[in-house]
Amino acid sequence: MVKRTIKSFFFFILATSMAFAVSPVKLSVKLGAQTQNIPYRAETGMGWAVDGKLAYSLTDKFDLSLDVAYDHTVLDEDSVILEWDWAYWDERYIDWLLTGASQEEVDSISTVLEYWRPDSSYHGVFKPQQWMEEIRLTLSADYTIPFSEKLSMFGSIGGGLSIYTRRLKVVEDWMKVFTWEWDSIAVASGTLDQEDLDNYLIFMDLHNSDPATYQLDSTNAMVKITYDYFAQVTHFAPDKKGIKFYLTPSIGLRYSIAKDIDLECAYQGIFYLSVGDGVIKEQFPIRSKSMIWLGLTFKY
């Protein structure tokens, strides 16, 4: 049923485009900013978009339009790793870190986003970064109300489909503490064996050249140098892909800056259909969003 609907939608777009090809048209190019209306899976969802619009003027005030847009949305969601159902992360990676961890422990790592080794020699901080890319195809009917020779207001209502890809990567910042110790009496008396003496001389040179990194802590019994090693690792989760239908109203202003060119500023709402419980909730993270557009319309 979905495939049949998609085929029908593309056929309608093709037929509309062929009609545009032999009729007076308007071509618009726009840049936009976007944000989700209310928190859903993510606390925030913000991004940018570009759009190309082809409109056929049925009358002086009424247009039939076809839009093709690319949206890029960055999503902030603390529980995204837990929601993603990432087999490698849940069944292999975290299990390797914790060695036989229970599901509760795995979930804890995925939500707390931090790991301490019991002996404090390792410390990891996990930073998930989630974003979504959409190719949106929209058919709409536009109505224009002129205020003056140059200024006019327009409104439109339409619908379309979004071909989306939702992506996730986890950037991990790791720290490991290395510690070297020598008997202070053996150091003072020169009785360290050759290997310990070589290590002692190497690390004392490192401390003398960079005391902030190689920290010296001497007591009556021991000479100790500590070194914190930092590393960053990035893991990419499998993409989530799909198609989502939506309804979209918009309203805006146009100002004529030349005979055949209008400057356009508009608000657009995107309201996605069938966003609810179950698999759909896991796949698609937004219920609705608002967009602000700025662009130029060329009249032919």
Side-chain angles (χ1 to χ4, degrees), residues 77-83 89-90 94 103-114 126 128:
E77 179 184 354
D78 290 341
S79 60
V80 62
I81 301 178
L82 190 62
E83 180 208 337
W89 183 274
D90 293 341
I94 297 300
Q103 188 59 52
E104 289 76 13
E105 290 173 308
V106 173
D107 291 349
S108 175
I109 293 291
S110 299
T111 53
V112 175
L113 302 176
E114 193 168 4
F126 307 103

Side-chain angles (χ1 to χ4, degrees), residues 7 15 38 41 52 77 94 111 125 140 142 163 192 194 197 201 209 221 238 251 256 280 300:
K7 288 181 179 179
I38 58 173
R41 303 303 296 170
E77 179 184 354
I94 297 300
T111 53
V125 177
S140 63
D142 306 344
I163 304 169
L192 288 174
Q194 190 60 46
L197 178 60
L201 294 175
S209 62
I251 188 170
S256 178
I280 295 175
Y300 295 95

Side-chain angles (χ1 to χ4, degrees), residues 69-71 132-136 162-164 272 284 289:
Y70 170 81
D71 294 6
M132 185 168 65
E133 299 170 342
E134 298 177 74
I135 301 295
R136 290 191 297 101
S162 167
I163 304 169
Y164 70 88
Y272 295 97
F284 201 78
K289 62 184 180 182

